[in-house]
Amino acid sequence: MHPIVALATPPGTSAIAVIRLSGEGVIDLVDSIFKGKRLAKQVSHSLHFGSVMAGDEVVDEVVVSLFRGPHSYNGEDTVEISSHGSPFVVQKIMQTCISAGARLAEPGEFTRRAFLHGKLDLSQAEAVADIIASENESQHRLAIKQMRGGYSDIIESLRQELIDFAALLELELDFSEEDVEFADRKKFLDLIQQMLTAIEQMICSFQLGNVIKQGIPIAIVGKPNVGKSTLLNALLREEKAIVSELAGTTRDFIEDTLQIHGIQYRFIDTAGIRETTDLLESKGIERSFEKIRQAEIILYMADIQASVDTIISDFQSFSFLPEQKVIILLNKSDIGDSNAQQSDSKEVVATLSGRRTLEISAREKRNMDTLISVIEAVSSEQTKRFDFIVSNARHLEAFQQAKASLLLVQKGLQEKMSGDFISIDVRTALYALGTITGKISSEDVLSSVFGRFCIGK
Ligand code: GDP
């Protein structure tokens, strides 16, 4: 493919800049502007010191790295020029490369070539974009997992089995007059069931994948004045929420993100939810309920001085969803320190609610470390539910399409429909799955995937 060139490091001034070239004849091309050892005679994966020349003029002293295809990132002959990181020098070297026959790369073109040369499948190539864009440890971990193969292998093996069945079905069509069945319907149904289970798991994991990318939502819930805003402040260590002695000052909800050991959380402090006639406030309350429903983790707060009955009945009035992880916080443990009854009430609440219960003092920042480790433990339980996490909307859509078609195949098999009807849906399912790994790819898909990259990748 035509030699392309791009700056692989961020634009601006830096100690070193890397200009990357790849494509056919790229080694000769760089030889023509490089004064040093002749690169064409050097082995792959080697470094060479020399100068980039624009005619007789030395542009910069550089180190050139040589990678011969197919043993390079994208499978093509690749040269990386490490120069001094001045925008002027970089510009000049790029111009020199272009005069020598290279053209400027489009965004993601290096990786697109890696895909075209079979170095990466499409979902892995997308993971490369995610790695570049990742802003925290959990996003990064997710992207690395996907790049190393992630669920591509599973999809490919399921797809292969389905292809084998599809072939048998097609064969039956050739013998349609003789009314034979090559494809064992029972085995076929088993396979479809197995595929549906795997695909449903992937679809389910999407919500979590998205959550990890954007931050795990944690709602802080409880009666007015129990200390929700104070807790949020303590966690965020800044005065974001307005703390007040008056009930219900947090009208709507306050949301803020916090990274704990590389995992991103979105904390939501909801309005003090209670009966109200104030229209504005009731709107806020509605939105708060919505936020509570979306939360993965709930921190339910109560005043430790309240009676156990009050706490339990208030707790039950929220009807949290079964999949939500709820941690009960009995706040203001600093009041009446010596009161032994407090610890008893913790036991009672824990027993009655069947939930993890923690005594804290948001104002005195007591037991905050324990709370944070409980949050971490709970959120890692959530992520461990899945072997693979789908975090890409394009993949989700493909899985949903595949699922819909496989359900039709299943129905067709159960209703003993003829092979030609079934094979249409099999093909649609195969197509949908193929678009994930790029076994089937249209120009549109490729452009939208690689367009997300920066130039130079
Ligand atoms: P919210 O309505 O649930 O958000 O409650 P706030 O955070 O506004 O707190 C209500 C009142 O309780 C404020 O006066 C806080 O200073 C007080 N408060 C909050 N946490 C504690 C605590 O741990 N101990 C004590 N003694 N007071 C607290």
Side-chain angles (χ1 to χ4, degrees):
M1 277 181 222
H2 195 91
I4 48 174
V5 61
L7 179 63
T9 43
T13 307
S14 56
I16 294 169
V18 176
I19 295 150
R20 182 198 250 179
L21 298 104
S22 92
E24 222 171 287
V26 86
I27 297 174
D28 290 337
L29 187 152
V30 176
D31 258 335
S32 74
I33 59 162
F34 180 70
K35 199 166 145 193
K37 279 190 194 152
R38 197 146 163 246
L39 300 174
K41 294 200 167 145
Q42 310 305 318
V43 293
S44 183
H45 292 70
S46 57
L47 299 175
H48 308 280
F49 175 77
S51 306
V52 170
M53 309 294 294
D56 293 336
E57 185 197 350
V58 175
V59 180
D60 193 14
E61 289 191 332
V62 299
V63 172
V64 164
S65 340
L66 189 66
F67 306 93
R68 291 181 184 276
H71 305 294
S72 65
Y73 170 65
N74 66 7
E76 297 185 321
D77 283 348
T78 300
V79 178
E80 288 178 3
I81 303 174
S82 304
S83 73
H84 292 99
S86 122
F88 173 75
V89 167
V90 167
Q91 199 56 31
K92 190 100 188 180
I93 294 176
M94 301 252 289
Q95 270 166 7
T96 314
C97 292
I98 290 167
S99 318
R103 75 163 164 75
L104 216 52
E106 287 164 21
E109 198 170 0
F110 287 96
T111 308
R112 184 179 183 138
R113 288 182 176 192
F115 165 70
L116 292 174
H117 291 123
K119 281 281 185 179
L120 298 170
D121 74 24
L122 203 54
S123 77
Q124 289 170 316
E126 286 172 296
V128 173
D130 284 345
I131 288 173
I132 298 170
S134 57
E135 283 170 4
N136 61 44
E137 197 176 323
S138 38
Q139 288 178 356
H140 180 245
R141 231 182 282 151
L142 213 60
I144 290 277
K145 209 166 171 180
Q146 194 176 325
M147 191 180 62
R148 293 231 169 113
Y151 38 80
S152 308
D153 294 349
I154 298 187
I155 297 167
E156 264 319 297
S157 75
L158 290 175
R159 213 174 80 88
Q160 201 50 53
E161 284 189 61
L162 194 57
I163 288 176
D164 295 345
F165 263 105
L168 290 176
L169 276 181
E170 308 270 329
L171 201 62
E172 282 176 16
L173 301 184
D174 292 343
F175 290 84
S176 55
E177 249 120 83
E178 286 147 57
D179 197 22
V180 285
E181 277 191 2
F182 293 113
D184 179 338
R185 298 298 192 264
K186 166 86 182 61
K187 274 197 190 148
F188 200 1
L189 261 175
D190 288 348
L191 173 69
I192 300 295
Q193 191 48 55
Q194 195 191 337
M195 290 185 85
L196 279 170
T197 311
I199 288 172
E200 267 155 21
Q201 177 95 350
M202 304 276 188
I203 292 175
C204 263
S205 77
F206 178 77
Q207 201 190 354
L208 188 66
N210 229 18
V211 157
I212 292 177
K213 274 190 167 175
Q214 289 168 9
I216 299 172
I218 303 187
I220 308 179
V221 175
K223 276 183 184 296
N225 259 339
V226 293
K228 298 185 294 296
S229 315
T230 312
L231 176 68
L232 186 66
N233 286 343
L235 289 168
L236 300 173
R237 293 191 193 86
E238 54 182 328
E239 301 287 316
K240 271 269 162 58
I242 318 144
V243 184
S244 136
E245 301 272 352
L246 291 171
T249 33
T250 319
R251 283 258 164 154
D252 215 317
F253 54 87
I254 293 177
E255 190 171 317
D256 223 318
T257 55
L258 176 67
Q259 269 195 41
I260 304 171
H261 298 150
I263 310 272
Q264 183 137 315
Y265 296 94
R266 270 189 299 133
F267 280 92
I268 303 140
D269 170 16
T270 54
I273 294 173
R274 64 191 182 291
E275 300 292 318
T276 179
T277 46
D278 182 337
L279 191 68
L280 191 77
E281 196 165 316
S282 72
K283 279 235 154 56
I285 289 171
E286 230 169 79
R287 271 200 295 270
S288 297
F289 269 118
E290 184 56 36
K291 284 277 164 191
I292 295 173
R293 272 194 295 275
Q294 290 166 0
E296 291 273 321
I297 299 174
I298 308 270
L299 301 182
Y300 170 78
M301 272 184 109
D303 192 320
I304 200 161
Q305 294 162 296
S307 75
V308 171
D309 287 349
T310 314
I311 296 175
I312 293 294
S313 74
D314 181 50
F315 176 84
Q316 281 164 347
S317 73
F318 281 99
S319 348
F320 298 118
L321 302 169
E323 63 270 23
Q324 289 179 316
K325 302 276 175 183
V326 185
I327 303 164
I328 297 180
L329 303 176
L330 300 177
N331 191 32
K332 311 195 185 180
S333 68
D334 54 297
I335 301 176
D337 263 336
S338 57
N339 192 346
Q341 219 183 331
Q342 287 185 359
S343 295
D344 292 349
S345 66
K346 180 185 146 197
E347 297 296 322
V348 179
V349 171
T351 316
L352 288 180
S353 64
R355 313 278 181 167
R356 261 179 263 229
T357 305
L358 217 63
E359 275 174 32
I360 60 161
S361 164
R363 196 158 76 182
E364 306 295 320
K365 299 194 175 52
R366 256 190 234 175
N367 239 354
M368 290 293 118
D369 291 348
T370 318
L371 173 58
I372 286 176
S373 25
V374 171
I375 292 175
E376 280 184 304
V378 166
S379 63
S380 81
E381 272 166 36
Q382 295 284 76
T383 45
K384 278 194 202 122
R385 278 188 310 172
F386 299 102
D387 296 336
F388 297 101
I389 294 174
V390 176
S391 63
N392 181 305
R394 195 180 67 78
H395 298 177
L396 176 71
E397 207 179 308
F399 279 126
Q400 281 166 336
Q401 273 169 10
K403 180 182 164 183
S405 310
L406 288 175
L407 284 173
L408 290 175
V409 174
Q410 194 178 44
K411 191 159 171 270
L413 286 171
Q414 281 159 350
E415 291 174 4
K416 309 218 173 338
M417 302 238 288
S418 75
D420 44 351
F421 278 113
I422 295 171
S423 75
I424 296 172
D425 296 319
V426 170
R427 267 188 242 172
T428 322
L430 281 173
Y431 181 86
L433 292 175
T435 58
I436 294 174
T437 52
K439 284 272 153 49
I440 292 162
S441 53
S442 71
E443 188 53 33
D444 293 348
V445 174
L446 293 189
S447 302
S448 91
V449 168
F450 292 103
R452 288 167 56 215
F453 282 77
C454 38
I455 295 172
K457 193 68 209 176

